[in-house]
Amino acid sequence: MRKLKIAMIEYQGRCDETGKAVGHAPKVLKEYYNFIKDHFEVEILAPATILKECPEEITKNAFTLSENIVMKGHKTFKDKIDGKLSMFRNIKQAVKNTDADILWFFNVEYYIMLYFGLNRKPSGKKMVFTMFKEGFSGGFAGKIRQFFFGLAQKKIDLIIKTGQGFKYKNTKSVFVSDYYYDEEKYKAYKTDEKENFAVCLGTMGDGKQLEELVESFGKTDYPLKIAGRFYNKERFNKLKESASDNISIEDKYLSEEEYFTLLSKARYTVLPYSKTGYYNQTSGVLQEAVFLDTIPIANVSLLNCNEIKGIGFEDWKDMNSTFFKNLDMKEDALNNNYYREYKELRENRFSKQKISDSYESIFKNLY
């Protein structure tokens, strides 16, 4: 019997001005591929900036999409339009150049919803989207985005949702965590001897409230280490100038070893997102904090959405010296409570075997 053929499509190709991929597309491409490669025929379609981060097993028969999306601090209106059109061209190329039974768009954002809201579903294909957020909000623009998202949903055969509580009214959905716990990988970094500092790691884009974070920690004496790639160098310089002595800020790519070592040693990791900006999305750093027993500090809406325990605050003004003194007073009780829950999450929600079994079942049951 012929194996079902799945086309894994990464249409964004986000990179910096040197051509280095940014974001988690290469990571999840490699991981998702390994989950399905033994059960299905798999074809990869992605831009060169993504493929060069992947092993030969993935790239040897891949189809290279033509467009990359360059991320930089200041974009003109023309830059923004060109970026959206580039994504459209990649989607069109991918659909045209595969004969797969299933098109799996495993790393998506709003403009693919606009594309399929305006275009027909590919004939004879099943379409699967992995969604990291529930929907779109925020005034009139949010309503427009949600309208096209609703249209696109009607052409999607299945949404793999990364948040358990996400709801989509126009199509079927099933929950699978986007990250999994690899014990061999994470035990190399895990430590029981936490140090008294907090970290803020990852790409330092516009979605992070870094000014509020620096101002809030500046009112305390608690050490904070901010490290990651800044697209906007002017913003980086201004933050450096305004940071108090307890805050260090680095503009650099963190290697995997640097990232996990910092995250594991830190007692806390801060996720500086607004209440509205990230309340209905999942977070990779948040999941990896669970893997390494590092307690997240974030807006309560983000913690609730991800169903992960941490130190929640409603507003940045809550972050002061008293905040940390109160944490210190109940630290042992807090940590024991959190660490027990994180262990349970690693064994269940983030179980590698359970996630692998889920993918096999999901795609076989589409036919």
Side-chain angles (χ1 to χ4, degrees):
M1 183 178 176
R2 180 179 77 87
K3 283 185 176 181
L4 285 173
K5 185 174 183 179
I6 300 175
M8 295 183 65
I9 302 170
E10 207 306 289
Y11 65 92
Q12 296 185 56
R14 295 181 183 270
C15 63
D16 68 10
E17 291 176 276
T18 70
K20 180 174 175 57
V22 297
H24 75 175
K27 168 186 162 59
V28 294
L29 171 54
K30 289 180 279 191
E31 292 181 354
Y32 294 167
Y33 173 82
N34 286 331
F35 279 134
I36 66 173
K37 66 178 182 179
D38 294 332
H39 310 292
F40 307 94
E41 183 182 351
V42 183
E43 179 182 28
I44 310 295
L45 300 97
T49 190
I50 304 298
L51 295 175
K52 69 182 181 182
E53 302 275 340
C54 298
E56 184 182 359
E57 180 185 12
I58 288 178
T59 60
K60 63 183 179 182
N61 294 316
F63 182 89
T64 303
L65 301 176
S66 64
E67 309 290 329
N68 294 327
I69 310 300
V70 179
M71 308 298 290
K72 51 187 179 181
H74 295 288
K75 286 190 174 184
T76 65
F77 179 74
K78 181 178 182 300
D79 289 336
K80 293 177 182 179
I81 295 298
D82 286 346
K84 311 317 176 192
L85 293 177
S86 292
M87 287 192 281
F88 285 177
R89 285 191 286 269
N90 279 348
I91 296 167
K92 186 175 181 179
Q93 279 181 52
V95 171
K96 181 180 178 181
N97 288 281
T98 181
D99 61 353
D101 305 291
I102 299 169
L103 308 182
W104 182 14
F105 294 91
F106 62 87
N107 181 36
V108 307
E109 47 66 76
Y110 165 68
Y111 283 92
I112 195 170
M113 308 304 170
L114 179 60
Y115 181 91
F116 282 112
L118 295 172
N119 289 277
R120 294 180 180 179
K121 177 182 177 180
S123 177
K125 312 281 188 185
K126 299 281 188 179
M127 288 209 304
V128 177
F129 281 30
T130 294
M131 290 295 303
F132 305 99
K133 66 185 300 179
E134 186 175 43
F136 301 90
S137 60
F140 180 72
K143 290 180 180 179
I144 294 296
R145 288 186 170 200
Q146 192 62 33
F147 171 76
F148 282 105
F149 184 27
L151 290 182
Q153 281 181 48
K154 296 175 181 178
K155 300 168 188 178
I156 301 169
D157 294 279
L158 182 71
I159 287 176
I160 299 174
K161 58 183 181 180
T162 62
Q164 294 186 95
F166 292 176
K167 294 180 173 61
Y168 305 97
K169 65 181 182 180
N170 293 323
T171 193
K172 295 178 181 178
S173 64
V174 60
F175 167 74
V176 183
S177 170
D178 54 323
Y179 280 36
Y180 69 87
Y181 181 62
D182 184 335
E183 185 173 5
E184 288 298 312
K185 175 180 178 178
Y186 291 104
K187 76 177 182 181
Y189 302 99
K190 201 168 179 182
T191 177
D192 294 328
E193 297 181 7
K194 296 289 186 179
E195 298 179 18
N196 281 323
F197 68 91
V199 292
C200 175
L201 305 175
T203 302
M204 301 298 165
D206 293 340
K208 290 183 175 176
Q209 296 185 312
L210 298 174
E211 288 76 14
E212 292 85 347
L213 173 64
V214 167
E215 181 182 356
S216 296
F217 266 78
K219 296 174 182 176
T220 80
D221 59 1
Y222 201 85
L224 170 66
K225 297 181 181 181
I226 300 173
R229 173 57 77 208
F230 282 78
Y231 299 136
N232 189 330
K233 306 306 178 186
E234 182 180 341
R235 187 186 192 197
F236 166 71
N237 291 327
K238 286 183 178 179
L239 287 168
K240 287 275 286 185
E241 290 173 3
S242 65
S244 56
D245 292 341
N246 61 310
I247 302 172
S248 67
I249 308 176
E250 287 188 280
D251 174 19
K252 64 177 295 187
Y253 284 114
L254 294 174
S255 68
E256 185 173 276
E257 182 176 359
E258 289 175 313
Y259 171 82
F260 287 125
T261 298
L262 270 174
L263 185 59
S264 180
K265 286 182 177 180
R267 192 171 301 281
Y268 306 109
T269 179
V270 188
L271 292 93
Y273 298 106
S274 70
K275 183 174 183 178
T276 56
Y278 225 86
Y279 78 98
N280 64 350
Q281 297 187 54
T282 51
S283 162
V285 176
L286 184 55
Q287 293 170 85
E288 286 171 330
V290 168
F291 300 163
L292 296 168
D293 282 334
T294 300
I295 297 173
I297 298 174
N299 194 287
V300 290
S301 60
L302 175 62
L303 297 174
N304 292 341
C305 169
N306 284 267
E307 299 181 34
I308 289 175
K309 284 187 177 178
I311 310 298
F313 62 88
E314 291 282 358
D315 193 275
W316 284 110
K317 66 183 179 183
D318 299 335
M319 197 76 65
N320 51 39
S321 295
T322 303
F323 180 90
F324 286 101
K325 286 177 182 176
N326 289 339
L327 290 187
D328 290 339
M329 290 171 59
K330 52 187 179 179
E331 183 179 301
D332 289 341
L334 277 170
N335 289 355
N336 288 336
N337 184 17
Y338 293 152
Y339 295 164
R340 279 195 297 270
E341 173 159 316
Y342 298 164
K343 183 175 184 294
E344 182 179 335
L345 286 172
R346 292 192 294 265
E347 293 173 349
N348 291 283
R349 188 196 303 181
F350 299 119
S351 162
K352 183 177 181 180
Q353 187 59 55
K354 289 183 179 180
I355 291 172
S356 178
D357 292 343
S358 294
Y359 280 119
E360 182 182 2
S361 174
I362 284 167
F363 288 113
K364 286 184 176 177
N365 288 336
L366 274 176
Y367 279 84

